[in-house]
Amino acid sequence: MNNLVIFLILIPLVASSFSLLNRYFPRLRIAEAASFGALILCLIFLGLLFQPLLKQKVINYPVGGWQEPLGINLYMDGLAWGSSLMGMTIALLALIFAWGEKKYRYNFYFFFLILIAGMEGVILTGDLFNMFVFFEILSIASYILIAYSRERKSILASFNYLLISSLGMGFFLLAIFLLYQQTGILSLREIAYLQLQTKGNLPVFNLAIISLIVGIGVKAAFIPLHTWLPDAHAFAPHPVSAILSGVMIKVSFLSIWRILRLFQAIKTQQIFLWIGAITAFMAVIWAIAQDDSKKLLAYHSISQMGFIIASFGVATSLSLAASFYHLLNHSLFKSLLFLSIGCVICSMEERDIQKLSGLGRKMPFVFLAFMVGALSICGIPPFNGYVSKNLISLSLKEHPLAYYLIFLASIGTVASFTKLSQIFRKDRAKRKNQGKEEASASRLHQKKLSRGMLIPLGILSILCILTGILPHLWTAAISKLITGEELRLIPVVYSLSSLTNSVFILGLGFALYLGIRSSLGQRILKYIRGLKLGLNNSLFLLVGGFLFLIFLGWIMEKGL
Amino acid sequence: MADYLIIILFILGIWGMIKKDNLIKKVIALNIFNSCIVILFIYLGSRTGSTAPIMEKGIKDVVDPLPQALMLTAIVIGICLTALALSLILKIYQHYETLSIHRIEEKIKQKQ
Amino acid sequence: MEESEIVYVISRKLAPYILLFGLYLISFGHLSPGGGFQGGVVLASGVILLCLSRGTTLTQRLFPADRIGLVEVGAFSLFLLIGIAGLVAGRYFLGNFLPLGKAGQVPSAGFIFFLNIIIGLKVGAGIILVCFYLLREK
């Protein structure tokens, strides 16, 4: 039964080599069949692994039979199980969407399966250099998938991402060097064991941890390492956007989670509180200013990752459960939003918010799915965003400055999603002003959406509602999964104060939206939209962020 | 002495990636950066012994072979990244007709 | 690229020895410096030498691009097959299931010899394909 762990990485790789056979038999749909079969088989194996995981807390699988510390071990604990489940589900739904879109050749499925294999490898591995190799497999597959449509902006976005991410991975290798020189072993658990024994006798340990965080953090997109994300997620094909935003940034953050929890670096964990709060707040400001619908969603990915990171920074068990819960919820509703906007773009062939209107009547199902996603991300009961955002606010109660930054970020989220939903409403003010524009916009040719594109929207909406209905059950289950112990005190989420809090946020968000529509608001937004970081400046920001974090770590070691 | 060389190469690689205008020069700087990390591993990993890690009769004091195996993988990954970056630059040149990142960003700004 | 008679003649004489040296590096990988990746790159450099001296269209008469693609795909599948064979034979994935011979000879160290050959072929084929596409004349 333990063998099933390796199959989670092996089956996508084998299926990818099957999908290459499609080149010699172009009539049979080998690529799609192989990828669907692989993902369904992996989900079945994950289900089979649940019972052994409850019995033994950690399932250990040595690759090749070589035990630690000589060999590479795969560890499956509760955190890995939860994130594999989330990753496989979103990947299956994105694959159904890609099959429905009917314009991807066999090499799309090949790279998609390699992306999934790399993702599983990152989640399951217990060896530092193996993590580096799987991160690079993940990255190379994602560079190719982002540039798949061969338009100018996609290729430039992929190139930006390549340079920034390679620089980050160089820092990761630097961290591996520092740790290997001190301890002589590469396995994560053994290094953590050694470090806990010698109690901080390893002098360059902080530098190594900061390098690791910067290296993996380029993929997890917190400020100041976020500059590649808007272009890359906005100009990628729609299922690729969904899986990048929904799974890949979270898998990278989960690696940082695992490393920091293993090394028990509580001080470094608390830096994340401030990084998360600042990320959440600033990304929402950029998000409101965007006119391209997918770029708005991409900036929101950064902002919601800020929520997750801020909650991780407060290192109590309630906040960890809240962070993982929001991670799961965000992958569900962000994929839903990306896929529904993808449906809109596919059928209307127009991405600009200002040029689309009145789509609510033309595509009611997509409108319904979008409303489920938008209400979830704004934190409206009874959807899942409400539960996790409330838990995050409750766990941040002792840090008032971060609490207020997150509060302002929630208001901004409501405002920007009201702005995004204007493509579905009939805009009477616009029709009065620009009569000719409206007439030409309604001449936009609307293509019919195939059923394959609508199935994942339905399934994701149902999952969004399901994970929000019974918050006690879900919070207890998640806490047991990731920390192995029960939460002593689960706060009541549907209490009167929390409900009034969300009504307050909703009201202020609407007020902000009405303020944006004035002319002063439009001028400010135009200025924010013009502030764009070029490639040189984003690389400089990365290196600057690295030096700043080292400086911060040095101060915290000397001072505290 | 070689330690200073490694630090100089490191700073040179990062500086090249940030400041150079031509896209191909950025990729060359990325290669310099990767080579610097490889040299770091192998040079500082070779201080633990005195001869190459080939097991023949009578040779006892070999260097640690693990960094060398790790760096093989890192070199392979560096080659894949360079090949991918160069193909992307080929496509960027076909679309934008210039290799300078400043002019490409100006063209994007003008279009909007 | 201008034609140069000296380069053309010497590259035709030198390329087989480069391919032979690549094969030596691959097969003695577990005994001396070398191995799958290094030997594969030397194999590729033999073919690239022919490309650089005379052009890709002429070199493709000897090394056709679709056959090399087939080699690459086949080597990938064969690697996974050997790994799964280790799984089926009772041990773990990529566990050794061939007998270990005497140390210091070529057929020792179990299945690493076969893995080296497979990796060498795959890497060589991959880099040949990359250079065929990048050095293509329009």
Side-chain angles (χ1 to χ4, degrees):
Chain A
M1 206 35 95
N2 275 352
N3 277 350
L4 293 181
V5 177
I6 189 68
F7 278 123
L8 288 176
I9 306 181
L10 199 55
I11 289 181
L13 281 179
V14 171
S16 70
S17 70
F18 276 152
S19 68
L20 280 180
L21 288 179
N22 206 2
R23 186 170 165 212
Y24 303 106
F25 309 102
R27 290 304 168 93
L28 313 171
R29 307 284 199 100
I30 300 184
E32 290 96 332
S35 38
F36 279 126
L39 281 176
I40 294 180
L41 208 58
C42 282
L43 276 173
I44 295 178
F45 283 159
L46 263 182
L48 285 176
L49 272 174
F50 188 54
Q51 280 299 89
L53 186 66
L54 284 184
K55 258 188 285 177
Q56 349 160 345
K57 291 292 175 134
V58 174
I59 301 182
N60 181 7
Y61 183 86
V63 177
W66 301 95
Q67 295 291 338
E68 274 189 323
L70 279 179
I72 298 175
N73 278 36
L74 300 176
Y75 280 106
M76 170 165 266
D77 52 356
L79 190 68
W81 192 87
S83 34
S84 300
L85 186 65
M86 165 189 86
M88 292 290 187
T89 317
I90 305 279
L92 187 60
L93 294 169
L95 214 59
I96 298 179
F97 188 88
W99 171 70
E101 243 185 312
K102 286 193 195 341
K103 59 176 178 176
Y104 299 117
R105 295 172 57 219
Y106 67 94
N107 41 10
F108 180 84
Y109 296 97
F110 173 68
F111 287 117
F112 201 83
L113 286 168
I114 291 191
L115 184 74
I116 293 176
M119 189 186 78
E120 285 295 315
V122 167
I123 295 175
L124 288 172
T125 185
D127 181 78
L128 260 182
F129 196 75
N130 203 16
M131 193 186 278
F132 168 73
V133 173
F134 274 119
F135 260 121
E136 289 287 1
I137 294 179
L138 185 64
S139 316
I140 292 182
S142 64
Y143 306 144
I144 298 178
L145 280 177
I146 292 177
Y148 191 80
S149 54
R150 299 204 191 151
E151 300 168 12
R152 329 162 78 157
K153 292 194 180 166
S154 313
I155 298 185
L156 194 62
S158 177
F159 184 75
N160 275 4
Y161 179 25
L162 197 154
L163 279 190
I164 296 179
S165 183
S166 316
L167 195 56
M169 281 295 143
F171 286 129
F172 191 109
L173 272 180
L174 193 65
I176 294 181
F177 170 71
L178 290 170
L179 284 174
Y180 181 69
Q181 201 188 28
Q182 288 295 319
T183 58
I185 42 182
L186 280 176
S187 148
L188 270 176
R189 295 197 178 218
E190 302 274 326
I191 295 181
Y193 185 60
L194 260 179
Q195 191 255 341
L196 287 176
Q197 271 190 334
T198 62
K199 255 318 167 218
N201 245 354
L202 307 172
V204 290
F205 192 69
N206 261 348
L207 181 61
I209 291 280
I210 300 273
S211 293
L212 269 178
I213 290 177
V214 168
I216 309 179
V218 171
K219 297 232 186 330
F222 36 87
I223 290 194
L225 311 164
H226 70 286
T227 42
W228 56 273
L229 199 145
D231 284 330
H233 285 206
F235 299 122
H238 309 300
V240 173
S241 281
I243 197 172
L244 281 181
S245 236
V247 180
M248 213 189 73
I249 48 182
K250 310 202 167 52
V251 158
S252 322
F253 180 65
L254 284 171
S255 310
I256 299 183
W257 178 313
R258 178 191 297 259
I259 291 177
L260 284 181
R261 295 299 290 176
L262 266 181
F263 290 165
Q264 294 189 1
I266 298 286
K267 277 187 249 170
T268 321
Q269 205 172 338
Q270 281 167 347
I271 300 181
F272 277 111
L273 175 63
W274 297 106
I275 294 182
I278 295 178
T279 307
F281 178 60
M282 297 198 67
V284 163
I285 296 181
W286 284 314
I288 303 183
Q290 297 301 318
D291 261 346
D292 186 342
S293 42
K294 281 186 85 167
K295 255 202 199 168
L296 193 145
L297 290 177
Y299 272 110
H300 271 291
S301 282
I302 307 179
S303 168
Q304 298 293 315
M305 276 308 286
F307 277 70
I308 297 174
I309 294 174
S311 178
F312 172 69
V314 182
T316 65
S317 51
L318 172 65
S319 75
L320 287 179
S323 176
F324 194 74
Y325 197 177
H326 195 60
L327 202 139
L328 283 177
N329 289 343
H330 178 240
S331 64
L332 286 175
F333 55 65
K334 190 44 73 73
S335 319
L336 179 61
L337 284 168
F338 263 114
L339 290 179
S340 56
I341 295 286
C343 283
V344 166
I345 296 181
C346 253
S347 80
M348 304 300 288
E349 301 196 350
E350 175 67 53
R351 300 162 72 113
D352 202 339
I353 297 183
Q354 310 289 347
K355 297 208 180 100
L356 290 169
S357 70
L359 291 176
R361 202 165 288 188
K362 294 187 199 163
M363 3 175 142
F365 189 67
V366 176
F367 177 48
L368 205 61
F370 174 80
M371 282 316 284
V372 170
L375 290 176
S376 299
I377 200 174
C378 295
I380 312 289
F383 297 106
N384 51 6
Y386 170 71
V387 179
S388 48
K389 278 197 174 182
N390 238 329
L391 284 175
I392 293 180
S393 309
L394 283 171
S395 47
L396 281 178
K397 271 276 194 299
E398 281 105 32
H399 307 266
L401 188 56
Y403 179 75
Y404 280 120
L405 280 175
I406 300 269
F407 184 71
L408 291 172
S410 309
I411 296 179
T413 311
V414 173
S416 49
F417 271 90
T418 323
K419 175 177 176 180
L420 185 58
S421 72
Q422 85 183 27
I423 64 177
F424 290 105
R425 294 180 271 132
K426 264 200 199 313
D427 218 354
R428 257 178 262 133
K430 245 192 342 180
R431 204 196 293 178
K432 244 191 282 179
N433 282 342
Q434 314 153 13
K436 259 191 220 168
E437 282 268 351
E438 156 78 29
S440 70
S442 64
R443 252 189 270 135
L444 276 176
H445 170 65
Q446 181 183 355
K447 285 180 7 188
K448 205 156 167 6
L449 294 171
S450 73
R451 212 177 314 157
M453 293 166 73
L454 299 176
I455 294 180
L457 296 183
I459 298 182
L460 279 172
S461 319
I462 296 178
L463 283 176
C464 274
I465 299 180
L466 267 183
T467 45
I469 290 189
L470 306 159
H472 268 242
L473 194 68
W474 287 104
T475 319
I478 287 175
S479 175
K480 186 123 200 295
L481 199 64
I482 55 178
T483 48
E485 56 203 35
E486 306 277 345
L487 265 185
R488 272 176 294 120
L489 173 65
I490 302 181
V492 178
V493 182
Y494 283 103
S495 68
L496 194 59
S497 60
S498 325
L499 284 171
T500 48
N501 207 8
S502 43
V503 167
F504 199 40
I505 292 181
L506 204 60
L508 281 177
F510 276 138
L512 184 61
Y513 172 62
L514 290 175
I516 287 175
R517 287 175 57 143
S518 66
S519 70
L520 176 63
Q522 295 287 352
R523 262 189 297 160
I524 297 182
L525 290 187
K526 198 164 182 181
Y527 174 66
I528 296 180
R529 231 178 306 164
L531 295 171
K532 237 182 169 199
L533 280 174
L535 179 57
N536 287 353
N537 298 336
S538 8
L539 286 168
F540 182 65
L541 201 60
L542 202 165
V543 177
F546 174 63
L547 294 172
F548 177 67
L549 279 176
I550 292 182
F551 179 61
L552 210 62
W554 182 69
I555 286 188
M556 287 182 80
E557 183 149 350
K558 285 287 171 86
L560 295 171
Chain B
M1 178 57 195
D3 301 337
Y4 298 120
L5 202 65
I6 292 178
I7 296 181
I8 290 178
L9 272 181
F10 191 80
I11 296 181
L12 208 61
I14 294 184
W15 182 83
M17 274 177 77
I18 295 179
K19 271 297 185 182
K20 285 292 178 184
D21 201 29
N22 198 340
L23 287 178
I24 295 190
K25 290 188 185 169
K26 282 191 197 283
V27 175
I28 295 178
L30 178 69
N31 264 336
I32 294 180
F33 182 67
N34 278 337
S35 305
C36 162
I37 300 274
V38 169
I39 295 176
L40 183 71
F41 261 87
I42 297 183
Y43 175 68
L44 289 176
S46 77
R47 283 206 189 140
T48 59
S50 63
T51 61
I54 304 177
M55 304 301 280
E56 291 184 6
K57 284 202 171 54
I59 295 192
K60 293 273 187 239
D61 191 19
V62 292
V63 299
D64 192 4
L66 185 62
Q68 305 187 355
L70 300 182
M71 284 304 110
L72 275 178
T73 313
I75 293 177
V76 174
I77 293 176
I79 287 188
C80 289
L81 284 174
T82 307
L84 188 59
L86 288 176
S87 345
L88 285 177
I89 289 180
L90 195 66
K91 281 289 177 191
I92 290 179
Y93 185 71
Q94 281 175 359
H95 282 303
Y96 286 103
E97 276 154 37
T98 174
L99 274 181
S100 151
I101 192 80
H102 277 136
R103 285 216 212 114
I104 291 178
E105 283 167 6
E106 267 174 25
K107 282 192 185 179
I108 295 182
K109 258 210 179 108
Q110 273 174 4
K111 249 196 158 183
Q112 277 182 346
Chain C
M1 254 167 288
E2 290 180 9
E3 275 185 29
S4 165
E5 277 300 320
I6 299 181
V7 172
Y8 183 44
V9 169
I10 298 285
S11 66
R12 274 174 64 185
K13 298 290 179 244
L14 205 51
Y17 290 102
I18 298 183
L19 293 177
L20 188 65
F21 185 65
L23 203 57
Y24 159 72
L25 278 181
I26 292 177
S27 51
F28 273 75
H30 51 281
L31 297 172
S32 68
F37 173 67
Q38 293 92 310
V41 175
V42 174
L43 272 182
S45 74
V47 178
I48 294 173
L49 183 63
L50 291 175
C51 274
L52 284 178
S53 66
R54 194 61 169 173
T56 56
T57 40
L58 278 180
T59 315
Q60 285 194 353
R61 280 183 6 195
L62 200 55
F63 296 98
D66 40 358
R67 295 279 176 85
I68 295 189
L70 198 60
V71 165
E72 188 178 6
V73 173
F76 179 42
S77 317
L78 209 56
F79 186 92
L80 286 174
L81 213 64
I82 288 192
I84 296 179
L87 197 60
V88 160
R91 327 282 175 84
Y92 298 90
F93 177 68
L94 281 182
N96 193 4
F97 58 95
L98 294 177
L100 302 171
K102 230 179 353 176
Q105 286 188 355
V106 173
S108 59
F111 71 154
I112 290 190
F113 179 60
F114 294 105
L115 282 184
N116 267 342
I117 293 184
I118 289 176
I119 292 179
L121 285 176
K122 172 160 177 62
V123 171
I127 297 193
I128 291 176
L129 279 180
V130 165
C131 288
F132 273 168
Y133 286 127
L134 283 180
L135 291 174
R136 201 167 33 180
E137 311 110 357
K138 287 293 159 129

